[in-house]
Amino acid sequence: MTETPAPAPRSRQAQKQASRRALLDAALALLERQNLSGLGVREVTRAAGLSPAGFYRHFADLAELGVVLVQESLANLHEMVRAVFAGSGDPEQLIDRSVEVIDAHVAEHAAYIRFLARERHGGVKPVRDAVGAELRHFAEELAELLALRPELAGWSAGDRRMLAELYVDRMVTTALALVEADPAERAAIADTVRTQLRLINLGSRHWKAS
Amino acid sequence: MTETPAPAPRSRQAQKQASRRALLDAALALLERQNLSGLGVREVTRAAGLSPAGFYRHFADLAELGVVLVQESLANLHEMVRAVFAGSGDPEQLIDRSVEVIDAHVAEHAAYIRFLARERHGGVKPVRDAVGAELRHFAEELAELLALRPELAGWSAGDRRMLAELYVDRMVTTALALVEADPAERAAIADTVRTQLRLINLGSRHWKAS
DNA sequence: GCGTTCAGTAAACAACTGTTTGCCGAAAAT
DNA sequence: ATTTTCGGCAAACAGTTGTTTACTGAACGC
């Protein structure tokens, strides 16, 4: 008498996107314990509940799928950095907020972060290049935000870029360290990076002032 | 008439070590374009000129071979850092010498560096752990050397360790960037890292003095 | 209602994989 | 001189792999 739960009369594109998501999710899960260059098409389709041939309706390659995962991994980056810079301008608080955001993000999207760590220097060139391009882009964005800060007035674009790269790199390395550490170590890691960022900030305040 | 070049009446252990080296070298070469988790035993033995079964006379696993490669990759680290610290104590020159040494080392042992970059966060746990342990050890060594420097007198062990990690990390990241960059970019990368190290040094000079 | 589109399938392809087995032959040990 | 050791090999094992093929059937555009 109840309405049949229905075999879900999903529209075609909805169903297609569902399959695509299943492939991406299955791959991401498998990549927690494996490298992309060691992953197999059949392995992914098996985990996603598709037939092997079905894979090719969505991607030409596993590399292509990998590039999509890279974009998804870094999709929220812009919002995150802007949210950090939105609040109070005090460098101390800015540092604290940055580390908080990273810590939360790593906790919530561990699989994506691990994937990035694995493939940043991994064996699949298109994926490696995609990660590099996104991180370079991120450094640019940070450099622009740094240009707006009063305490860095008078810095050359090159020096701002240099500082931005230093910060980005510290953040990335920290995220990778956090994702591989067991929970007990995480607080100590966050503490260390806070101190390091403060030291860098201190250095930048005396830069060119010497 | 001439003495036959001889089928090389090598002693047994000499021959065994030659095969072992062939396996390691073949694997290292293959890993320039591939990840360890995507490498195959047969692939390695084929490139090394052995039969597949021959592999197991030397290693139980590809992971085992990987760990040996990690150790070889970082074997010269101690000599390198001590050589850098041996000369003049001026921080500026120390930075310049460090970057020079890294640059030369990367140029000469590109394959090993690439391997480390790939497997530092790669999918094979024993190898990943071996890299992590060696780098932690390296940070410890640097922290000890920093303790001897007059300008850091009065620093706590924790702070010295924090600074050492910051330096090590910057070095490692630079090495990985250099090995993937094309030759035209390398000078710019070296320049940037020199500036960043100077900024860190500046920060450490004002640390606790504020 | 009716032909078209197209995501998903099963089956087949040849080629590849890690690992074990028993054996060989030469170096080493006695 | 004879026995033992052992690095290397060929062969076989039971899988696995990526990719293409022709097909099905339901959602689509009209």
Side-chain angles (χ1 to χ4, degrees):
Chain A
M1 303 310 162
T2 66
E3 271 187 319
T4 57
R10 285 182 287 195
S11 82
R12 191 128 86 183
Q13 57 176 333
Q15 163 63 9
K16 176 165 184 181
Q17 275 194 344
S19 295
R20 187 184 144 101
R21 257 269 64 87
L23 286 170
L24 289 165
D25 290 343
L28 189 60
L30 290 167
L31 287 168
E32 293 213 49
R33 307 196 171 279
Q34 211 169 151
N35 248 320
L36 181 57
S37 71
L39 198 64
V41 171
R42 290 185 112 106
E43 203 177 349
V44 174
T45 55
R46 201 182 307 130
L50 286 202
S51 83
F55 177 87
Y56 298 97
R57 301 280 184 209
H58 301 272
F59 307 98
D61 246 355
L62 271 171
E64 201 174 296
L65 181 149
V67 171
V68 173
L69 282 180
V70 171
Q71 291 160 352
E72 290 186 355
S73 302
L74 297 169
N76 302 328
L77 223 60
H78 302 260
E79 312 162 22
M80 284 171 57
V81 62
R82 300 213 176 263
V84 166
F85 272 78
S88 144
D90 178 12
E92 286 294 304
Q93 296 185 350
L94 218 137
I95 287 173
D96 286 352
R97 233 177 306 144
S98 299
V99 175
E100 272 172 37
V101 167
I102 290 178
D103 198 59
H105 189 75
V106 168
E108 197 178 355
H109 301 101
Y112 277 117
I113 303 293
R114 228 186 307 262
F115 165 71
L116 282 178
R118 293 253 154 86
E119 304 307 327
R120 181 184 185 186
H121 302 279
V124 183
K125 187 154 189 321
V127 175
R128 201 169 59 227
D129 289 347
V131 177
E134 295 277 1
L135 288 184
R136 226 182 339 269
H137 186 201
F138 182 40
E140 273 169 34
E141 184 167 3
L142 181 58
E144 283 173 27
L145 287 172
L146 289 179
L148 303 177
R149 296 196 60 82
E151 72 264 30
L152 298 183
W155 281 46
S156 72
D159 278 356
R160 276 198 309 266
R161 180 61 193 257
M162 174 277 293
L163 183 60
E165 282 180 19
L166 186 51
Y167 277 126
V168 167
D169 200 82
R170 202 69 219 108
M171 304 289 191
V172 170
T173 306
T174 301
L176 305 193
L178 283 174
V179 85
E180 284 184 5
D182 47 23
E185 298 171 299
R186 296 185 51 152
I189 292 176
D191 240 54
T192 298
V193 69
R194 259 190 295 267
T195 312
Q196 289 169 335
L197 291 177
R198 269 190 236 121
L199 191 144
I200 292 173
N201 176 250
L202 188 60
S204 73
R205 302 219 311 162
H206 291 88
W207 189 246
K208 300 260 172 100
S210 62
Chain B
M1 309 296 175
T2 67
E3 268 188 319
T4 56
R10 286 183 285 194
S11 83
R12 191 129 86 180
Q13 58 174 333
Q15 164 63 10
K16 176 168 186 180
Q17 276 194 344
S19 295
R20 187 185 145 99
R21 258 265 69 86
L23 286 171
L24 288 165
D25 290 344
L28 190 61
L30 290 168
L31 287 169
E32 293 213 48
R33 307 197 171 279
Q34 214 171 150
N35 248 319
L36 181 58
S37 71
L39 197 66
V41 171
R42 291 185 112 105
E43 203 178 349
V44 174
T45 55
R46 200 181 307 130
L50 285 202
S51 83
F55 176 86
Y56 299 95
R57 301 281 185 205
H58 300 271
F59 307 99
D61 245 356
L62 270 171
E64 199 174 298
L65 181 148
V67 172
V68 173
L69 282 181
V70 171
Q71 291 160 352
E72 290 187 354
S73 301
L74 297 169
N76 301 328
L77 223 60
H78 302 260
E79 310 163 22
M80 282 172 59
V81 62
R82 301 216 172 261
V84 166
F85 273 76
S88 144
D90 178 12
E92 286 293 305
Q93 296 185 349
L94 217 138
I95 288 174
D96 286 352
R97 232 177 307 145
S98 298
V99 176
E100 272 172 37
V101 165
I102 291 178
D103 197 60
H105 190 75
V106 168
E108 197 177 356
H109 301 101
Y112 277 116
I113 304 294
R114 226 185 310 261
F115 166 70
L116 283 179
R118 294 254 155 87
E119 305 305 329
R120 182 185 184 185
H121 302 279
V124 183
K125 185 150 192 322
V127 174
R128 200 169 61 226
D129 289 346
V131 176
E134 295 277 0
L135 288 184
R136 226 182 339 270
H137 187 200
F138 182 40
E140 272 168 36
E141 182 167 4
L142 181 57
E144 282 174 27
L145 287 172
L146 289 178
L148 303 177
R149 295 196 61 81
E151 70 265 29
L152 298 183
W155 280 46
S156 74
D159 279 356
R160 276 199 308 266
R161 181 58 192 259
M162 175 276 296
L163 183 61
E165 282 179 19
L166 187 51
Y167 277 126
V168 166
D169 201 82
R170 202 70 218 107
M171 304 290 191
V172 170
T173 307
T174 302
L176 304 193
L178 283 174
V179 85
E180 283 185 6
D182 47 26
E185 300 170 297
R186 298 185 49 154
I189 292 176
D191 240 53
T192 297
V193 69
R194 259 190 295 266
T195 313
Q196 289 168 334
L197 291 177
R198 268 190 237 120
L199 190 143
I200 292 172
N201 175 250
L202 188 60
S204 73
R205 301 218 312 161
H206 291 88
W207 189 246
K208 300 260 169 104
S210 64

